[in-house]
Amino acid sequence: MTWFVASLISVVELIDGDQEEYPVEETFYLFEAHSEAELNEKVTKEITSLNRTGSCHYYNKPARWHCLGARKIRSVY
């Protein structure tokens, strides 16, 4: 069993209207996996979960957090 740290990148997108700024957030997640396939499945599941629950407000307008994907994945020893 190996531990991995994944850097996931998310951005705030307005639901309606024009947008000039796109705030970006990088969040680090720790995963434990037996194989690369299992790791990819866990990362994909986390991205899907983040995209489902990402409603928020940006400058008092309805918006949502959208996960763009994994920027970097490294094993941890």
Side-chain angles (χ1 to χ4, degrees), residues 1-2 4 31-46 73:
M1 188 74 72
T2 305
F4 298 89
F31 295 98
E32 186 177 25
H34 289 288
S35 65
E36 188 174 326
E38 181 183 359
L39 174 65
N40 287 335
E41 183 179 312
K42 288 182 175 185
V43 170
T44 301
K45 185 177 177 180
E46 186 64 34
I73 299 175

Side-chain angles (χ1 to χ4, degrees), residues 3 17 24 30 41-42 53 55 57-59 64:
W3 287 94
V24 175
L30 187 62
E41 183 179 312
K42 288 182 175 185
T53 60
S55 63
H57 283 81
Y58 183 65
Y59 287 111
R64 67 182 188 102

